[in-house]
Amino acid sequence: MSLKYEPVIGLEIHAELQTNSKMFCSCSADYSNAPDPNIFICPVCTGLPGAMPVLNRKAIEQATVVGLALNCSINEFNTFARKNYFYPDLPKGYQISQYDLPIASKGWLDILDASRTEYPMRVVVRRVHLEEDTAKLTHEKNSALVDFNRAGVPLLEIVSEPDMRSVEAALSYATKIRAILRYLGVNSGDMEKGVLRFEANVSVRPSGSSELRTRTEIKNLNSFRALTRASAYEIERQIKVYENGGEVVQETLGWDEARGVTVSQRGKEDAHDYRYFPEPDLPPLQLDRAWIDSIKSGLPELPDAKTARFISDFKLTPSEAQLLTSEQTLANYFESIVAKSKSTAKTIHSWIAGEFMRYMNDSGLALEEINLPAEKFAQLIDLVTDKTISGNSGKIVLNEMLNSGGDPAQIVKDKNLAQVSDTGFIQEAIEKVLSDNPKEVEQFLAGKETIVQWLMGQVARATKGKADPNVAKELLVKALEARRN
Ligand code: ADP
Ligand code: MG
Ligand code: ZN
């Protein structure tokens, strides 16, 4: 990227809430498990005349939880507004949303920007408001199908200030919002199902300037990959426009994943185009301060707080702690192993971050789908820590447990993996290795000490990995020295 320009990014994030019923009616909100299209519907969510909306208490609670977790002030006095526009997936001809009085505003989130030195940086959360999702359109060759099961599902919109200065920062912010929503249990974060969607507002300006230039808005980014690729593409495109003496036009863009380009959808609409006006069928919503406070005191420990605690309690580095706190279930798993094991937290972290995560990646399984009780994992790690088995054997046992279950001590027995510090057995193997490799012994005697490592490898092979490496090394060096003169 040209150093003469600096990107400016603001994100709008739409998150469906995990309520049982829809935002303004009692229809099921579980549309992704609906057996058929257009069955979770009623006069309210299909916009029939005279049908009256009723607020979903649970959705208000979840929105409040999110607002508090993002350090926002919760507005006690809330109103709803109609955002008018025509689209076939919007049966009422308007979306009920919040406009001038959102449920939460003026919060912040600290993130890391891998491309910069500031550490961490703060993104201001402008507002969090409640609205409803639209129906789902499926485009066919010469027609379009509409499914109203999703119409009216509670939707939260989280709007940031244009505070991000790189694609990495935008990714870090989006990733953290997703983690927080999952910690709070208000959104599954399952982007393939469309429950979490990003809109990136992007502009570029000369580096060092503080002006806000004309931005474009890229709609409906359904994955982190789409978010980063689309933003990066748009930054480069705008830089080229300025370098060629042109002006960026404010517009709404789509992202063409296959071609890897942003495409113009329409000129940017302004708020007045929607002719927002107060929703006449919903009275203002007054929240009780004591109720807000009780929600606040019930917030779970969030990723940042957990990371800080892991660093201080377990003596982990920030990046080790962050890896473990990226998912609440992973953090809990780690803590259960720590509680059941005699090994250090650092050691347990390396088993999780190494062999265990490799298995997760290779198998594509989620933590919840892996059947390895924390207690068994702890026992295995302890077998390595107390030198009953070598680290390599530990990996074999772990993979055996992951693939077929079982008890670590039993697997060690069945596979005959117990490490031997019996010096006679090791001594015998060393003598054989040395007589089989006279050239290497010569090299050692001529001063090439690094050859010891290679010989250690031969000893490990000869003992099938069962020799205690410290004992073996000591005996090997002794045997070599004995061959001098
Ligand atoms: P509205 O859509 O209500 O007019 P804004 O246009 O101010 O509100 O902001 C919508 C989103 O665009 C916000 O996330 C904001 O941070 C972002 N944004 C506003 N101006 C810019 C800009 N010049 N460059 C990048 N993002 C911007
Ligand atoms: Mg927008
Ligand atoms: Zn309904």
Side-chain angles (χ1 to χ4, degrees):
M1 188 182 43
S2 163
L3 290 173
K4 289 194 320 207
Y5 290 92
E6 168 181 73
V8 175
I9 303 175
L11 290 185
E12 293 166 275
I13 300 183
H14 281 102
E16 278 177 5
L17 295 176
Q18 284 184 316
T19 54
N20 293 327
S21 57
K22 292 187 178 179
M23 187 65 221
F24 303 111
C25 61
S26 59
C27 293
S28 169
D30 191 17
Y31 67 90
S32 61
N33 289 315
D36 280 304
N38 295 310
I39 57 166
F40 294 166
I41 58 171
C42 75
V44 173
C45 56
T46 49
L48 299 192
M52 297 292 263
V54 177
L55 283 175
N56 180 332
R57 187 188 172 92
K58 197 77 197 168
I60 290 157
E61 194 179 309
Q62 292 188 0
T64 305
V65 165
V66 173
L68 290 168
L70 298 178
N71 309 295
C72 293
S73 336
I74 302 300
N75 301 314
E76 290 171 46
F77 185 75
N78 279 267
T79 58
F80 289 83
R82 288 186 180 182
K83 181 181 183 181
N84 295 282
Y85 65 100
F86 171 79
Y87 208 66
D89 63 11
L90 191 68
K92 296 194 293 289
Y94 59 85
Q95 178 190 38
I96 304 179
S97 182
Q98 291 191 289
Y99 185 50
D100 40 8
L101 294 169
I103 190 157
S105 52
K106 296 200 181 66
W108 50 263
L109 190 62
D110 285 340
I111 59 160
L112 299 176
D113 180 345
S115 73
R116 305 189 137 224
T117 49
E118 288 142 70
Y119 181 97
M121 65 166 289
R122 181 156 292 191
V123 175
V124 173
V125 175
R126 180 187 293 177
R127 56 186 275 149
V128 177
H129 70 252
L130 274 162
E131 53 188 40
E132 52 177 335
D133 212 343
T134 56
K136 211 166 193 165
L137 289 176
T138 308
H139 296 278
E140 308 241 298
K141 200 160 174 223
N142 292 311
S143 60
L145 301 172
V146 64
D147 175 8
F148 289 112
N149 286 342
R150 196 180 71 179
V153 165
L155 199 60
L156 208 59
E157 180 166 345
I158 304 166
V159 184
S160 84
E161 290 296 341
D163 287 349
M164 287 156 274
R165 299 284 174 268
S166 69
V167 171
E168 289 83 355
L171 176 63
S172 166
Y173 172 83
T175 306
K176 198 152 187 184
I177 293 271
R178 176 177 181 274
I180 290 173
L181 295 174
R182 280 173 55 80
Y183 264 66
L184 297 172
V186 304
N187 183 284
S188 68
D190 195 343
M191 290 186 280
E192 276 169 26
K193 291 197 175 140
V195 301
L196 190 64
R197 315 184 293 256
F198 308 116
E199 282 166 33
N201 295 271
V202 177
S203 63
V204 299
R205 65 186 177 194
S207 294
S209 113
S210 56
E211 65 177 319
L212 279 181
R213 289 199 169 182
T214 302
R215 69 185 157 103
T216 57
E217 176 176 358
I218 319 164
K219 287 266 187 201
N220 277 320
L221 299 167
N222 287 326
S223 65
F224 289 127
R225 183 177 144 85
L227 170 66
T228 51
R229 288 180 74 210
S231 310
Y233 175 88
E234 190 53 21
I235 290 164
E236 290 300 331
R237 188 191 69 82
Q238 291 185 15
I239 290 173
K240 270 188 215 126
V241 169
Y242 287 127
E243 300 220 303
N244 292 331
E247 284 297 323
V248 169
V249 182
Q250 182 169 347
E251 60 184 340
T252 300
L253 304 170
W255 171 242
D256 184 328
E257 181 77 46
R259 289 195 297 141
V261 295
T262 54
V263 285
S264 183
Q265 289 189 329
R266 53 178 188 259
K268 168 66 190 177
E269 64 287 335
D270 279 312
H272 62 253
D273 295 326
Y274 289 116
R275 217 176 78 80
Y276 279 96
F277 68 84
E279 166 59 61
D281 292 341
L282 284 170
L285 166 71
Q286 183 73 44
L287 298 178
D288 190 31
R289 183 44 55 188
W291 179 81
I292 297 170
D293 291 342
S294 76
I295 300 239
K296 186 165 189 171
S297 60
L299 283 181
E301 184 183 38
L302 293 168
D304 276 356
K306 217 185 258 299
T307 301
R309 181 167 64 80
F310 278 20
I311 293 170
S312 76
D313 286 9
F314 300 131
K315 309 281 170 281
L316 299 175
T317 66
S319 69
E320 289 168 347
Q322 254 157 25
L323 175 92
L324 295 169
T325 58
S326 60
E327 293 285 344
Q328 201 171 30
T329 47
L330 185 63
N332 291 345
Y333 190 53
F334 166 75
E335 287 198 274
S336 323
I337 299 174
V338 169
K340 293 178 165 70
S341 162
K342 294 176 289 183
S343 311
T344 64
K346 200 107 180 157
T347 302
I348 292 163
H349 159 269
S350 28
W351 277 94
I352 292 181
E355 206 60 17
F356 184 76
M357 290 216 148
R358 183 167 19 252
Y359 176 82
M360 275 178 80
N361 286 339
D362 292 350
S363 66
L365 293 174
L367 185 58
E368 299 74 39
E369 298 169 303
I370 294 177
N371 185 20
L372 176 58
E375 192 169 7
K376 292 257 158 71
F377 202 166
Q379 287 165 1
L380 160 72
I381 297 172
D382 289 351
L383 286 175
V384 178
T385 301
D386 68 20
K387 300 211 163 90
T388 305
I389 56 174
S390 69
N392 274 335
S393 299
K395 288 180 188 170
I396 296 171
V397 177
L398 176 61
N399 280 293
E400 175 75 18
M401 288 196 294
L402 288 166
N403 288 312
S404 348
D407 181 71
Q410 190 60 47
I411 298 172
V412 167
K413 223 186 232 167
D414 294 348
K415 291 192 182 289
N416 190 23
L417 290 169
Q419 190 159 261
V420 180
S421 27
D422 165 11
T423 48
F425 163 78
I426 301 174
Q427 193 72 53
E428 214 171 283
I430 288 175
E431 287 305 328
K432 178 155 190 340
V433 165
L434 297 188
S435 61
D436 287 352
N437 299 285
K439 226 172 57 208
E440 282 72 17
V441 173
E442 278 307 312
Q443 289 176 352
F444 174 83
L445 296 176
K448 190 176 173 196
E449 306 222 331
T450 49
I451 202 77
V452 172
Q453 255 340 90
W454 184 86
L455 288 165
M456 273 295 287
Q458 301 306 303
V459 173
R461 186 189 282 181
T463 56
K464 300 204 169 61
K466 294 198 303 188
D468 179 322
N470 291 325
V471 177
K473 177 107 183 242
E474 209 185 302
L475 293 175
L476 173 63
V477 173
K478 241 189 227 159
L480 284 166
E481 290 299 338
R483 282 171 166 69
R484 281 201 200 283
N485 68 53

